[in-house]
Amino acid sequence: MSVSGTVRAESRPDQAMFTAGLENIAPTLEAASARANEAVARIVAALKVQGVVERDVQTSSLSISRIGDGKDRGRFEASNTVAVKVRQVDKAGAAIAAATGAGANVLSGPNLTVADPEAATLSAHGLAYKAERAKADAYATAAALRVVRVVAIQDGGRGGAVPMMYAEESRDGMCPPPVSVPTSAPVMTGTNPATITARVDFALKAE
């Protein structure tokens, strides 16, 4: 007999990820690119003060283009953003505030995740098996049978909702203002849901 089911599990995030950078418009390609690059350098330096190490900062996107229409036609728009990982959720707010304080006018996140999702949901796999065994016993009893052994266990994997990344950006021609974020903005961790699915094949025997 095959029995399948799903168990819901929740885990508390232990790391936060966000992106920060600068978009700006300038008369020349060189000026627009330089402003974006200088802003990112300031952002990275501010993050280091908050304890974010170099391996946890990665270039996310670089772009530069000539504006073809509108009031800024003929000028250049450049952006440079980095993806940041904060390995302690309680420090994420301070890191975000540091990035915006250093001049970031593009901010996305935070995305709160679990560094080791498999370990975080390990106990749920045991619960999934117990649930399937209880179902099997109920079916077997109703049919005047009994479970004698497990033939196979198929792990259906782990699924769950992906935390949303929220983006906020602001541009203003020559001098884009930074995103307004309070100092050490509170980041509420909550929990991340996940579902564990499994199928167990049982051998039955007549009572």
Side-chain angles (χ1 to χ4, degrees):
M1 177 177 62
S2 295
V3 181
S4 62
T6 300
V7 171
R8 178 184 173 88
E10 292 188 345
S11 55
R12 185 171 293 278
D14 55 14
Q15 64 181 13
M17 291 175 280
F18 66 93
T19 60
L22 184 97
E23 287 187 355
N24 82 108
I25 297 173
T28 66
L29 181 151
E30 292 78 10
S33 180
R35 287 178 182 172
N37 295 341
E38 290 166 3
V40 167
R42 292 194 302 271
I43 292 168
V44 172
L47 290 170
K48 286 182 178 179
V49 173
Q50 296 299 319
V52 179
V53 297
E54 184 176 346
R55 67 189 175 95
D56 289 335
V57 180
Q58 183 180 51
T59 296
S60 176
S61 68
L62 293 168
S63 69
I64 188 164
S65 61
R66 185 180 182 125
I67 300 172
D69 53 25
K71 65 182 180 64
D72 291 311
R73 181 178 180 181
R75 294 158 69 86
F76 291 85
E77 180 179 27
S79 69
N80 188 342
T81 61
V82 292
V84 183
K85 179 185 291 185
V86 182
R87 295 180 184 271
Q88 292 177 272
V89 175
D90 59 350
K91 295 184 178 180
I96 292 171
T100 57
N105 72 342
V106 177
L107 177 67
S108 177
N111 182 16
L112 306 179
T113 63
V114 178
D116 189 348
E118 292 298 330
T121 58
L122 196 59
S123 62
H125 290 278
L127 294 175
Y129 171 76
K130 290 179 180 178
E132 307 323 310
R133 178 56 191 259
K135 289 181 185 179
D137 287 336
Y139 282 125
T141 299
L145 301 171
R146 64 184 177 88
V147 175
V148 293
R149 65 188 176 90
V150 174
V151 177
I153 299 176
Q154 182 176 339
D155 182 12
R158 179 181 60 86
V162 178
M164 298 297 293
M165 294 283 282
Y166 296 96
E168 184 175 357
E169 59 185 69
S170 174
R171 293 177 293 176
D172 186 19
M174 294 291 291
C175 187
V179 177
S180 178
V181 176
T183 302
S184 298
V187 174
M188 311 303 292
T189 59
T191 57
N192 290 351
T195 54
I196 305 297
T197 60
R199 190 187 77 183
V200 184
D201 297 337
F202 297 95
L204 306 179
K205 184 177 180 179
E207 288 286 6

